[in-house]
Amino acid sequence: MDILDIQQTASTPSIRFDPATNTLRLVGESYPENSFDFYAPVISWLTASLQQLSELTLDIAITYMNSSSTKCTLDLMDIMEEAYARGVRTAIVWRYDCENPRSYDLAEDFREEVSFPFDIVALGK
Amino acid sequence: MDLYDLRKDFAESGIMMCFNGPFSHSIIEEIGIALRNHLAAEEIAKAAVLDVFAVYIELAQNVRNYLALREITQSEANSSIITIAHWGDGYTVASGNFILNSDADTLCTRIEEINNLTPEERKRQYREQMRREPAPSALGAGLGFLEIAKRSSAKMVCSVRKIDDIYGFFSLAAFI
């Protein structure tokens, strides 16, 4: 499995896989110059990795994402949903800032799109 | 060059920040950071700061993607403007850019359509659009106007001024 380790910038989150816990973490903000280009390697990595792993948690702590990043995030979730249907134990932990109700609303909208476990927790908890 | 009159116009329009010129990603990013610092100093709710910032990002990226998609690269036409101004107790963010005259009706009709959606209809359209495969040439997901409408507390306002046989100037404002 390839190593995935993308460094954070002002407009792109850090994206890192922790093999010890099978957790893919996205931290920061997401409004890349071109969201499709930015997320393409993540989508490829996730698709390939879910052929090998028996479990994977996507841990998202993104305080702001632009509209095209929401589309890319949904693409990631669709890949996880497909793996879940094959028996891979997929899950999402969505961390939101209590002072930013829109992040919580967005998480709720995403949760309606998937059938695997999706926890929404306040940041810092 | 005396910039006093220009500055006075800005002050009278309540404009806090303005950029006029070709939008690059790094300029969009830098102005966004400056905007957030500026708003943080005005001691408004963090959620409102993020709404102003989000509308700014969607407008700026929309303009940049549109000009790239239509290959509008000639220097005057490639120069766009974005303003962030006080508006009553809130803020207004507006963008202005060259468009092809042939796109004017489509853009204005779409804004009008989105303005008249109920929050439920808007949410449904957003979801449908997220599920749609983007065109191979697309630079964005086609969600920008819906995202702006979600965060705007009043209807968006748009206008087109005809420049010549090819170009018009498109202005779009949202209110937070």
Side-chain angles (χ1 to χ4, degrees), chain B residues 21-32:
Chain B
F23 288 7
S24 67
H25 177 69
S26 60
I27 280 174
I28 293 173
E29 199 179 276
E30 286 300 328
I31 293 176

Side-chain angles (χ1 to χ4, degrees), chain B residues 7-68:
Chain B
R7 194 180 172 282
K8 194 159 144 264
D9 285 349
F10 278 15
E12 281 165 6
S13 312
I15 293 175
M16 301 149 48
M17 290 176 71
C18 173
F19 176 79
N20 181 48
F23 288 7
S24 67
H25 177 69
S26 60
I27 280 174
I28 293 173
E29 199 179 276
E30 286 300 328
I31 293 176
I33 293 166
L35 171 63
R36 279 159 87 167
N37 290 338
H38 189 95
L39 293 174
E42 298 208 340
E43 290 178 4
I44 58 169
K46 201 171 167 184
V49 174
L50 264 184
D51 277 345
V52 175
F53 176 72
V55 167
Y56 157 77
I57 288 289
E58 296 296 334
L59 283 174
Q61 291 187 331
N62 252 353
V63 168
R64 188 169 140 72
N65 290 344
Y66 175 84
L67 295 177

Side-chain angles (χ1 to χ4, degrees), chain A residues 73-97:
Chain A
T73 305
L74 182 67
D75 291 345
L76 295 177
M77 292 179 184
D78 283 347
I79 295 164
M80 292 174 72
E81 180 73 17
E82 186 266 332
Y84 182 70
R86 288 187 280 109
V88 182
R89 278 172 289 136
T90 54
I92 287 179
V93 178
W94 183 289
R95 301 178 194 280
Y96 74 98
D97 179 349

